[in-house]
Amino acid sequence: MKKISMLLPVYNEEALLFYSLESTLPYVHQAVIIDGSPWGPSTDQTKTIVEFMDKQYPGKIEYLSGAFALEGGGWDEGSQRSLGLSQINGDILM
């Protein structure tokens, strides 16, 4: 059976993150969550939600966080996604 990995770049996503993870984690082998912005990781309850869901689905979530900024101060989304892609180990990416 093919293993499905999910890549989820986030920043201050507490409003929808729990429901997104609750509806997808039962079906994926791995969820790589990359939390960050040019100013650093989320300032809301994003990390708390990830930690809670990690207890519900042990071993499925990989949480990475940091600042992802271009030289001019803009958001370096490509760098955020590339970090997540380097952690993927499934056969299929969503």
Side-chain angles (χ1 to χ4, degrees):
M1 179 173 226
K2 300 277 185 187
K3 294 179 181 176
I4 300 172
S5 292
M6 175 175 69
L7 175 60
L8 192 60
V10 299
Y11 179 70
N12 287 345
E13 300 291 341
E14 72 179 9
L16 298 174
L17 184 59
F18 175 81
Y19 303 105
S20 296
L21 293 175
E22 184 180 50
S23 64
T24 54
L25 284 174
Y27 307 103
V28 300
H29 164 74
Q30 172 193 37
V32 178
I33 300 171
I34 311 299
D35 182 12
S37 70
W39 315 279
S42 294
T43 56
D44 65 359
Q45 296 299 310
T46 294
K47 185 175 181 181
T48 302
I49 294 167
V50 170
E51 289 170 347
F52 174 79
M53 295 306 289
D54 188 42
K55 290 177 185 172
Q56 304 302 309
Y57 297 91
K60 281 195 176 188
I61 296 176
E62 292 183 46
Y63 175 78
L64 303 166
S65 64
F68 302 94
L70 296 168
E71 286 184 29
W75 201 317
D76 189 355
E77 293 177 61
S79 180
Q80 188 178 15
R81 287 188 181 100
S82 291
L83 176 59
L85 287 172
S86 72
Q87 304 301 310
I88 296 296
N89 63 28
D91 303 305
I92 300 168
L93 172 63
M94 74 176 234

